[in-house]
Amino acid sequence: MHIVLDDTAMAAAGQGNVLASRLIHRAHAQAGWYLYAPACALVEADRARPGTAEHLAALPGVTVLELDLPAALAVARHGTWAAAHCQYAAQPTPDRPDGAVIVTTAPDRWLGEPVRVLDLSP
């Protein structure tokens, strides 16, 4: 299972969201579960809730995805860097042929986008 945290899910994890905490634990403890934090979304999450970036980056089950050239080109075509980097990260790759699920507390943000979404909102 491949999961991309958007900035809202990252901030929710920092505020003690139970579902986000369970995903983080599962990615750390169970083989085959992968949790990704796109760098642009990590920045936005830290702006919303200072300290979030350092906390998530220190967790062993979370992989921070850098803004490499292909990601930067994808981000340049969208309105917000955080959402664009998450959407790019969720696309199928040779390592993730089915892509990844985006975890969010703002599912309406993803309406009409070609991504699968898991809603963490209460």
Side-chain angles (χ1 to χ4, degrees):
M1 177 62 106
H2 296 274
I3 300 167
V4 174
L5 296 169
D6 79 355
D7 56 305
T8 66
M10 292 181 205
Q15 294 172 326
N17 180 291
V18 174
L19 295 175
S21 295
R22 287 181 184 164
L23 287 173
I24 291 168
H25 173 73
R26 181 157 287 179
H28 173 68
Q30 189 168 343
W33 281 73
Y34 303 95
L35 200 56
Y36 305 100
C40 292
L42 197 57
V43 168
E44 287 303 314
D46 200 68
R47 287 179 179 167
R49 188 169 194 286
T52 299
E54 291 171 353
H55 175 71
L56 284 174
L59 296 173
V62 177
T63 300
V64 176
L65 299 177
E66 296 180 3
L67 185 64
D68 59 8
L69 179 58
L73 295 174
V75 166
R77 290 185 227 123
H78 290 82
T80 67
W81 287 39
H85 200 184
C86 289
Q87 184 175 344
Y88 174 79
Q91 298 307 306
T93 67
D95 294 339
R96 299 184 305 269
D98 295 326
V101 175
I102 295 179
V103 176
T104 186
T105 62
D108 292 345
R109 168 192 290 181
W110 300 104
L111 289 176
E113 297 294 338
V115 294
R116 295 176 291 154
V117 173
L118 175 62
D119 183 2
L120 292 182
S121 57

